[in-house]
């Protein structure tokens, strides 16, 4: 246990808690929109920071590093490519997402396909997001264990409490500003760490020359389908990620939403490339390490300057904490807006929405903590959660925006079969292939075939989902 690392970690956590307390004050959070959209007043640079930090959680710092350590840097380029490609899709949709004024992704689907699709989409979102929250708890526990000497289970309890507190406190305002500062620190820390760590690998060249032969190939020893099975879940998730939609909804106007996505596209490379290089260096510097500790182990094992290692560990934990808080906040909105608010006559008052949202967050946090104890690795839970959500929601969302011939029956068939095939494959199939390789084609074919055999609900896209006129004054748009 390194005293400096422990001190930096504690100070960082205290700062996160203080941020949550500051933004939990009544005058900062007085309405449901304040809680979930930060009053739609986030500056663009803060938007970029919160988009990056929300996306880059334990799935990157631990799950992604684990993939690099196991299969090598070239294969990891394919693994990580899903994010920038998905961002380009969201950039194209950013104006429509902002103009739609929706609180949740299922609400967007209802505009086109009706209430039955919204309810099924909400249920699937809750199922998947509880899993994503669970592996943030697990990942946060791993970092706390590395730094303090506590067991991963004890660390997970601490991570659970802090993640839940941030989500309960100031909502998106506290999460977004915490994200922004954490993103700035970890990007700086990772970029500084790269030359320092490479300098320890035989004159900057050993990080590649000393790799096992298989790790220097484009496939990393995986079959093409297996590699595609790692790429697709991330690509699909970001396209339909409700956190992305809610943050775009929190932007000041449609133009700001597009600028934020452009900023996220470039900022993502400042995270992924250092993670790939550092995790690759760990293959030779720490040959007996656990794959998930590839990057964090470099910081904790004294292979970086002490203060730099402490900052990377602390900000990595902060990324995981704020990602967990974001997903807790987001899945809570499904229960509030897709459930209570949707079926309450006359709607819910702001006070009621805030109260129900916070109670929901507590319940979901408890469920996620229990779920996390059943999956042995972050990467395993990551692939399962990403696949369930991406396979079920991406085809309907793309149909909602782009295919006028899609029908409610087609969308329902696609979602139901996508989830069933994913779960059955994960539980019963004995294969190296991730479920997405089978379940995504099933979902797409079901959507196409059933839609062509049934009558569309509407001939035209709703105004809320159509491409807005760029000449319209952004201030007049929702």
């Amino acid at each position: 246990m390194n005293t400096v690392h422990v001190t930096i970690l504690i100070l960082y956590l205290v700062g996160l808690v203080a941020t949550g307390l500051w933004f939990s004050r009544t005058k900062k959070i007085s309405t449901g929109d304040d809680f979930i959209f930060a009053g739609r007043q986030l500056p663009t640079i803060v938007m970029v920071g919160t988009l990056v930090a929300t996306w880059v959680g334990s799935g990157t710092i631990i799950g992604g590093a684990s993939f690099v350590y196991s299969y090598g840097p070239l294969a990891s380029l394919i693994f990580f490519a899903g994010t920038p490609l998905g961002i380009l899709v969201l950039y194209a949709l950013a104006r429509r997402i902002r103009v739609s004024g929706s609180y949740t992704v299922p609400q967007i689907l209802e505009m086109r396909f009706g209430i039955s699709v919204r309810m099924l989409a909400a249920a699937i979102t809750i199922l998947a997001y509880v899993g994503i929250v669970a592996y943030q708890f697990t990942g946060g526990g791993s970092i706390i264990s590395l730094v303090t000497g506590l067991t991963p289970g004890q660390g997970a309890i601490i991570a659970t409490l802090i993640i839940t507190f941030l989500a309960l406190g100031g909502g998106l305002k506290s999460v977004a500003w915490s994200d922004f500062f954490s993103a700035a620190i970890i990007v700086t820390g990772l970029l500084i760490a790269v030359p320092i760590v490479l300098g320890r690998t035989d004159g900057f060249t050993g990080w590649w020359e000393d790799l096992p032969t298989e790790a220097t190939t484009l496939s990393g020893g995986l079959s093409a389908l297996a590699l595609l099975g790692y790429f697709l879940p991330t690509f699909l998730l970001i396209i339909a990620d409700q956190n992305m939609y809610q943050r775009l909804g929190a932007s000041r106007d449609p133009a700001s939403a597009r600028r934020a996505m452009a900023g996220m596209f470039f900022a993502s490379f400042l995270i992924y490339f250092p993670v790939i290089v550092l995790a690759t260096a760990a293959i030779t510097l720490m040959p007996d390490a656990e794959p998930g500790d590839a990057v964090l182990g470099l910081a904790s094992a004294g292979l970086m300057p002490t203060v730099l290692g402490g900052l990377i560990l602390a900000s990595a934990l902060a990324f995981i904490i704020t990602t967990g808080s974001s997903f807790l906040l987001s899945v809570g909105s499904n229960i509030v807006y897709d459930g209570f608010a949707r079926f309450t006559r006359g709607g819910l008052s702001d006070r009621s929405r805030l109260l129900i949202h916070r109670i929901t967050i507590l319940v979901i946090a408890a469920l996620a903590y229990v779920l996390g104890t059943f999956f042995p690795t972050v990467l395993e839970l990551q692939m399962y959660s990403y696949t369930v959500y991406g396979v079920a929601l991406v085809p309907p969302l793309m149909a909602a925006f782009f295919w006028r011939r899609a029908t409610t029956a087609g969308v329902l068939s696609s979602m139901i079969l996508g989830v069933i095939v994913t779960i059955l494959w994960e539980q019963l199939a004995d294969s190296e292939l991730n479920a997405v390789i089978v379940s995504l084609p099933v979902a797409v074919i079901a959507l196409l075939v059933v839609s062509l055999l049934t009558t569309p609900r509407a001939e035209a896209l709703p105004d809320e989902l159509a491409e807005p006129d760029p000449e319209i004054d952004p201030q007049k748009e929702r």
Side-chain angles (χ1 to χ4, degrees):
M1 183 173 68
N2 187 303
T3 304
V4 174
H5 288 175
V6 173
T7 302
I8 292 173
L9 185 68
I10 291 174
L11 291 175
Y12 213 115
L13 293 179
V14 169
L16 288 178
V17 172
T19 301
L21 289 172
W22 174 262
F23 284 105
S24 65
R25 296 174 301 157
T26 302
K27 69 178 183 178
K28 291 288 183 181
I29 303 296
S30 58
T31 70
D33 274 12
D34 285 340
F35 196 68
I36 196 171
F37 287 135
R40 303 186 194 271
Q41 292 296 317
L42 291 176
T44 300
I45 191 169
V46 176
M47 283 284 297
V48 172
T50 189
L51 285 166
V52 170
T54 296
W55 183 249
V56 180
S58 62
T60 299
I61 303 298
I62 297 176
S66 175
F67 185 91
V68 178
Y69 191 89
S70 300
Y71 302 110
L74 296 183
S76 69
L77 293 176
I78 299 175
F79 175 82
F80 284 120
T83 293
L85 292 177
I87 291 172
L88 292 177
V89 176
L90 285 177
Y91 177 83
L93 293 174
R95 289 180 61 85
R96 294 194 226 187
I97 294 169
R98 176 61 180 83
V99 170
S100 74
S102 59
Y103 289 91
T104 67
V105 166
Q107 185 179 356
I108 291 176
L109 292 175
E110 184 187 11
M111 294 177 190
R112 177 73 192 279
F113 301 114
I115 187 62
S116 59
V117 171
R118 180 177 185 175
M119 291 301 99
L120 180 57
I124 292 169
T125 302
I126 293 169
L127 171 69
Y129 277 27
V130 168
I132 294 173
V133 171
Y135 75 70
Q136 305 308 320
F137 292 168
T138 303
S142 297
I143 295 181
I144 292 173
S145 175
L146 271 177
V147 176
T148 65
L150 296 173
T151 67
Q154 292 168 333
I157 293 173
I158 295 174
T160 299
L161 293 175
I162 296 175
I163 288 170
T164 306
F165 171 77
L166 278 181
L168 283 171
L172 183 58
K173 279 190 177 181
S174 63
V175 171
W177 282 97
S178 298
D179 284 349
F180 169 68
F181 292 120
S182 296
I185 291 174
I186 199 168
V187 166
T188 303
L190 288 173
L191 292 176
I192 293 173
V194 166
I196 293 173
V197 171
L198 291 185
R200 295 180 175 273
T201 59
D202 192 21
F204 290 92
T205 60
W207 78 283
W208 177 264
E209 294 174 352
D210 295 336
L211 291 177
T213 302
E214 210 167 57
T216 62
T217 65
L218 186 61
S219 68
L222 294 168
S223 67
L225 282 178
L227 195 55
L228 183 63
Y230 281 105
F231 163 82
L232 283 174
T234 304
F235 175 67
L236 294 176
L237 176 63
I238 194 168
I239 291 175
D241 184 8
Q242 189 166 262
N243 283 293
M244 299 294 109
Y245 284 62
Q246 289 173 338
R247 276 157 175 74
L248 291 174
S251 60
R252 291 177 173 175
D253 51 57
S256 296
R258 298 196 80 180
R259 286 196 297 269
M261 290 312 306
M264 183 187 181
F265 176 83
F266 292 106
S268 67
F269 291 99
L270 300 179
I271 299 287
Y272 289 139
F273 281 141
V275 166
I276 290 171
V277 172
L278 293 173
T280 302
I283 297 174
T284 54
L285 293 175
M286 302 188 305
D288 299 321
E290 289 293 324
D293 294 340
V295 171
L296 300 178
L298 293 171
S300 64
L303 294 170
M304 300 179 189
T306 302
V307 174
L308 177 63
L311 285 173
I312 288 178
L313 287 167
S315 53
L317 177 60
F319 262 26
I320 290 171
I321 286 173
T322 54
T323 297
S325 297
S326 295
F327 276 93
L328 266 180
L329 183 67
S330 183
V331 72
S333 68
N334 291 111
I335 296 175
V336 174
Y337 294 98
D338 297 324
F340 287 97
R342 177 63 178 80
F343 295 103
T344 300
R345 289 187 177 181
L348 293 173
S349 66
D350 278 321
R351 183 175 180 181
S352 296
R353 281 190 289 168
L354 281 172
L355 178 61
I356 295 172
H357 209 151
R358 284 170 166 152
I359 292 173
T360 299
I361 285 170
L362 286 174
V363 174
I364 292 170
L367 291 174
Y369 175 78
V370 173
L371 180 64
T373 63
F374 289 95
F375 285 81
T377 69
V378 168
L379 187 59
E380 180 183 349
L381 186 52
Q382 175 186 359
M383 290 297 103
Y384 181 83
S385 301
Y386 284 15
T387 301
V388 167
Y389 186 80
V391 166
L393 267 71
V394 168
L397 268 174
M398 295 302 99
F401 283 116
F402 300 115
W403 193 33
R404 297 174 185 272
R405 186 64 182 78
T407 68
T408 299
V411 167
L412 287 172
S413 301
S414 172
M415 294 167 72
I416 293 169
L417 285 175
V419 171
I420 290 175
V421 173
T422 296
I423 294 175
L424 288 178
W425 185 271
E426 291 288 348
Q427 297 301 316
L428 302 178
D430 183 16
S431 171
E432 71 167 353
L433 298 180
N434 285 321
V436 68
I437 295 298
V438 178
S439 57
L440 180 60
V442 169
V444 172
I445 291 170
L447 174 59
L448 294 173
V449 172
V450 178
S451 290
L452 293 174
L453 294 175
T454 53
T455 303
R457 182 172 180 267
E459 290 299 324
L461 292 173
D463 290 341
E464 295 91 341
L465 301 185
E467 180 67 31
D469 186 344
E471 299 301 322
I472 295 177
D473 183 353
Q475 298 302 320
K476 297 180 179 179
E477 298 184 67
R478 282 185 292 174

